[in-house]
């Protein structure tokens, strides 16, 4: 049975997916990551912040839980 990737490798994959999204949308990937970290902190009280995170997660093909873990790790 194949083991799931470690979070460190998953974080690298998410970074790559965000890079591709940035190119596709004409955005700086670092700005997207900054927005993810900022909106993750706001998402508990702000539905539009949560909606943004869900939209980005869907565009890059990960779950919202993975997006929140990614944001938490990037905030550290």
């Amino acid at each position: 049975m194949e083991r799931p990737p470690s979070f460190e490798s998953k974080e690298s994959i998410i970074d790559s997916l965000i890079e591709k999204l940035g190119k596709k949308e004409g955005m700086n990937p670092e700005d997207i990551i900054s927005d993810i970290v900022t909106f993750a902190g706001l998402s508990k009280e702000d539905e539009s912040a949560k909606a943004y995170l869900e939209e980005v997660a869907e565009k890059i093909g990960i779950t919202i839980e993975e997006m929140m873990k990614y944001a938490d790790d990037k905030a550290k």
Side-chain angles (χ1 to χ4, degrees), residues 39 46-53:
F39 289 136
D46 185 339
E47 286 297 316
S48 63
K50 184 176 180 186
Y52 172 81
L53 295 172

Side-chain angles (χ1 to χ4, degrees), residues 7 14 54 57 62-72:
F7 188 77
I14 294 171
E54 289 171 342
I62 64 172
T63 66
I64 189 64
E65 292 80 13
E66 290 169 317
M67 177 64 70
M68 295 303 286
K69 171 75 172 126
Y70 175 82
D72 285 346

